[in-house]
Amino acid sequence: MNLSTFTKADDDAWQLEKSLSAVASAIADPSRVSILCALMDGRAWTATELSSSANIAASTASAHLSKLLQNELITCLSQGRYRYYRLAGSHIAHLLETLMGVSMKPSRLPVTRTPAHLRVARTCYDHLAGKVAVRIYDFMLEEGWIEPDGSKLTPAGKLHFQNMGVITNPHTRRKSRCACLDWSERRFHVGGDAGAALLIFFEQKEWLSRVPGYREVIITEAGKKAFSHVFRVDFDW
C-alpha cells in the first residue's frame, strides 16, 4: 500500500483486524477454553480453582489467565490476599455461547451432545438457559411480553414483570436485547437484563437452585409447578 494514500479508515480497519486476531488467538487453546467455560457460571473463581477445573498446573493456568486478561476476556478482582477471576461481561458470555453453537453445528440433522441435565436447565452467565429457558422465551413471545424481534420487553411484558415482582435494572448500560441463542437447543432463551432479573427472581422464589461451581441448575418441585402454571412449561421430556 502507498503510504501517501494510507487513510485513517485504513488504519482503523487494520487495528480492528489486529484486535480480532488477538482475541481469536486468546481463545484458540483448549485450556483457555476450559477456563472460559468454567467462568460461564457467572461466578468469580480463583486461579487454583480454575487450574483444577482445566486440569492444568497452577503455573500454566497463570500464563493462560494473563493472556485472557490481556485481551480483556476476563477481569481480576482482589479481595484480601485472594485474586478472583470472572468473565469481563455478558457480551463475552454471549460470544462464547455463539461459538459453542457454531462449533457443534452438525452436518446432518441436529443431535446435541450436551449432557441431559444441562440441556434441561443451566446458567448462561447471569441468566437461565436450556429447555426451560427456551420454553419461557416462547411463552413470553406468544403472549406479547417480548417484541417480535426479541429486542426488548414490551410495555405489557414490563407490566407483567412488575406484577410478578421481577425487578429489572432501569439504569443498566448493557444491551436490552432479550433474545439469546441457546447453543444446545438452537433456539432463543431470555437473556439481557430481563433474563438476569428472572434468574434472580427464580432463585429468590426457590423455584430452582444452582450447583456451586457449576453451570448446572436444579429445578425444584415447587419450581416445576410454578413454571408450569406461570409459563406453561411442560416437564414431560
Side-chain angles (χ1 to χ4, degrees):
M1 178 183 291
N2 189 331
L3 293 180
S4 63
T5 62
F6 191 80
T7 66
K8 183 178 184 301
D10 294 322
D11 182 58
D12 290 343
W14 181 79
Q15 290 292 345
L16 176 61
E17 292 166 358
K18 182 179 178 182
S19 298
L20 180 59
S21 177
V23 171
S25 175
I27 297 176
D29 181 275
S31 294
R32 288 197 287 275
V33 169
S34 294
I35 289 173
L36 290 171
C37 286
L39 294 174
M40 282 285 287
D41 71 348
R43 295 180 172 88
W45 292 51
T46 66
T48 300
E49 291 169 335
L50 290 170
S51 65
S52 177
S53 175
N55 197 27
I56 54 178
S59 57
T60 304
S62 178
H64 286 314
L65 289 169
S66 294
K67 190 169 185 67
L68 294 173
L69 281 168
Q70 179 183 349
N71 287 278
E72 300 182 351
L73 294 172
I74 63 174
T75 59
C76 181
L77 310 170
S78 295
Q79 188 167 317
R81 57 195 182 94
Y82 294 101
R83 289 162 61 90
Y84 296 90
Y85 299 87
R86 64 184 307 164
L87 291 184
S90 59
H91 62 296
I92 303 299
H94 183 71
L95 168 64
L96 294 171
E97 281 278 328
T98 301
L99 288 174
M100 289 174 184
V102 171
S103 65
M104 290 190 69
K105 184 177 180 180
S107 57
R108 298 181 182 178
L109 292 176
V111 178
T112 182
R113 298 178 182 176
T114 312
H117 63 286
L118 291 181
R119 292 203 302 271
V120 172
R122 64 180 183 276
T123 52
C124 174
Y125 190 59
D126 61 358
H127 56 270
L128 188 65
K131 289 180 180 290
V132 174
V134 167
R135 182 61 194 112
I136 291 173
Y137 180 89
D138 289 345
F139 169 85
M140 291 174 63
L141 195 60
E142 292 164 5
E143 295 297 315
W145 295 18
I146 300 175
E147 295 289 351
D149 62 356
S151 59
K152 60 184 178 181
L153 291 174
T154 63
K158 292 179 180 178
L159 181 60
H160 280 292
F161 267 41
Q162 182 179 339
N163 291 337
M164 290 170 59
V166 181
I167 303 174
T168 57
N169 180 4
H171 306 297
T172 182
R173 294 192 296 176
R174 70 190 297 181
K175 293 182 179 180
S176 60
R177 184 169 181 82
C178 294
C180 181
L181 185 63
D182 193 291
W183 68 272
S184 65
E185 296 302 304
R186 314 301 173 89
R187 293 159 60 195
F188 290 123
H189 60 239
V190 186
D193 184 52
L198 278 174
L199 180 57
I200 292 173
F201 175 77
F202 296 157
E203 286 189 277
Q204 290 175 340
K205 289 291 186 178
E206 297 184 350
W207 294 0
L208 54 78
S209 61
R210 300 173 65 175
V211 179
Y214 297 92
R215 297 180 66 188
E216 182 180 355
V217 168
I218 297 174
I219 307 298
T220 65
E221 288 302 316
K224 289 181 180 179
K225 294 178 181 178
F227 285 126
S228 177
H229 174 71
V230 178
F231 299 106
R232 296 200 297 267
V233 176
D234 183 2
F235 287 89
D236 187 21
W237 48 48

